Amino acid sequence: MRGAVLRSLGDTLEVRDDLELEGPGPGEVRIRIAASGVCHSDLSLMDGTLPHPLPCVPGHEGAGTVVAVGAGVTDLAEGDHVIISWVPPCGRCATCLGGQPNLCTALGLGSMPAPHLKLADQMVFAGIGTATFAEETVVSASAAIKIPDDVPFDVASLIGCGVMTGVGAVINTAKVRPGSSVVVFGCGGVGINVIQGAKIAGAAEIVAVDLVDKKLDWARQFGATHAVTPDKLSATMAEVTGGLGADYAFEVIGRPETIRSAWDATRRGGTTVVVGAGRMDAQVSFSAFELFYSEKALLGSVYGSADVRTDFHRLLRLWRSGQLDLEGLISRRCGIDGINEAFDAMKNGEVIRTVIELA
Ligand code: NAD
Ligand code: ZN
């Protein structure tokens, strides 16, 4: 089988034809991947920002067709079209039953704990549990969310991470109220979907911040009312919020300094949401005084606080009704052979998302 392998931190991906995939075992399904988006978390896994066992096949934003089901799987069948969830909700633990299935750890991250991939007899881990940069993958059945057959795989794949994370951070984590002011730091594949989510939620002002002019153009196209480089932010915030700060600020980069900027751009009593995935050893400082006196809420957001079993369908309905643009997120397409150039395009700020077409 063909797939892209990361051997050591800092390497580029090696496209191989001789990957072997075992399974599905009981409770698992085997999926032929049709399309996979390229998310910044894959890059963070490759450069060591996010710790991950190696070697691995990265990719965690994918959609495809079920080609085999393991023993005991009753709600999926061969031929079903699915979006892959990188957090499979077990549906039975206290976290799932308590309404936070995005934090379920009962099944690990997909098949991460029990690798199904091999390369010349060496065990290969599934990146973020899903390994969507390969022709086929094996995941827990609860990581495969069935979707209607008429949804194109390219747009479906993006729901698997960037769209769910971005829109979900707004509508699930922050629960933005109509008429609010919102500021978004980082307008990449996830941040653009925070902007789309804020528009859907009825935000009155949406201020987008990015270093790259092209990203600011895209931000306006997807619903930002203001789009500026960081040096222009304080003047814009003074104009938009009268210097009070925004009701909600979203950090979608994963760096201490931009988390701090998002906090500073939040009004007293407002909400700061950290979506960006930063390093485990990176520290952000807040004074003891400001934490209480500002009465700001500081919220983390994992996978858009989603219940993927219902939220993937909610997003598809927003797309069908014309309120969520998924086609417009795809700036670039290529086969698996173009995977390293796809990461270069992300690093150079040239794309919202690249979609890797596998089948
Ligand atoms: P991306 O590379 O597509 O976008 C990042 C954007 O931030 C780029 O447009 C870049 O120009 C901009 N940027 C970088 N430094 C900046 C700065 N100092 N000021 C302003 N803008 C700056 O990345 P993405 O795929 O959108 O992912 C964004 C972050 O979200 C990453 O950290 C990723 O790992 C994380 N993520 C988190 C979750 C979650 O569950 N919380 C899920 C998916 C991705
Ligand atoms: Zn992702």
Side-chain angles (χ1 to χ4, degrees), residues 88-99:
C90 79
R92 288 182 294 272
C93 70
T95 311
C96 282
L97 295 173

Side-chain angles (χ1 to χ4, degrees), residues 39-42 60-61 86 128 161-162 165 190 353:
C39 172
H40 201 105
S41 301
D42 293 315
H60 61 278
E61 189 177 83
W86 50 266
I128 317 193
C161 186
T165 299
V190 182
R353 274 292 194 253

Side-chain angles (χ1 to χ4, degrees), residues 40-41 161 165 186 188-190 210-211 215 252-253 275 277 301 303 353:
H40 201 105
S41 301
C161 186
T165 299
V190 182
D210 204 291
L211 301 168
K215 298 292 178 90
V252 204
I253 301 162
V275 181
S301 182
Y303 214 163
R353 274 292 194 253

Side-chain angles (χ1 to χ4, degrees), residues 60-253:
H60 61 278
E61 189 177 83
T65 307
V66 174
V67 290
V69 300
V73 176
T74 51
D75 46 2
L76 287 167
E78 206 182 312
D80 282 349
H81 291 198
V82 295
I83 298 174
I84 298 172
S85 165
W86 50 266
V87 180
C90 79
R92 288 182 294 272
C93 70
T95 311
C96 282
L97 295 173
Q100 292 179 305
N102 61 313
L103 304 181
C104 177
T105 52
L107 299 169
L109 287 176
S111 58
M112 197 133 91
H116 294 70
L117 285 158
K118 269 192 195 156
L119 188 62
D121 283 335
Q122 189 186 13
M123 194 168 82
V124 176
F125 291 93
I128 317 193
T130 53
T132 62
F133 293 158
E135 288 173 327
E136 294 190 2
T137 191
V138 169
V139 293
S140 156
S142 50
I145 308 300
K146 186 170 159 38
I147 56 166
D149 288 355
D150 67 334
V151 181
F153 285 120
D154 53 3
V155 301
S157 70
L158 302 183
I159 287 181
C161 186
V163 180
M164 186 69 259
T165 299
V167 177
V170 177
I171 65 177
N172 293 330
T173 312
K175 300 186 177 69
V176 167
R177 282 159 37 99
S180 304
S181 54
V182 169
V183 54
V184 183
F185 291 80
C187 305
V190 182
I192 289 286
N193 288 299
V194 170
I195 293 168
Q196 295 211 79
K199 188 176 166 195
I200 290 165
E205 294 97 14
I206 304 171
V207 179
V209 188
D210 204 291
L211 301 168
V212 179
D213 287 338
K214 180 74 188 154
K215 298 292 178 90
L216 298 176
D217 291 342
W218 273 318
R220 286 185 204 99
Q221 185 185 317
F222 280 86
T225 56
H226 302 72
V228 295
T229 45
D231 54 309
K232 309 257 168 45
L233 181 63
S234 56
T236 305
M237 292 302 284
E239 176 201 328
V240 173
T241 70
L244 291 175
D247 296 320
Y248 301 91
F250 293 86
E251 199 277 355
V252 204
I253 301 162

Side-chain angles (χ1 to χ4, degrees), residues 20-26 28-31 67-70 116 136-138:
E20 286 171 46
L21 181 67
E22 289 167 0
E28 296 174 337
V29 293
R30 187 174 181 121
I31 298 165
V67 290
V69 300
H116 294 70
E136 294 190 2
T137 191
V138 169

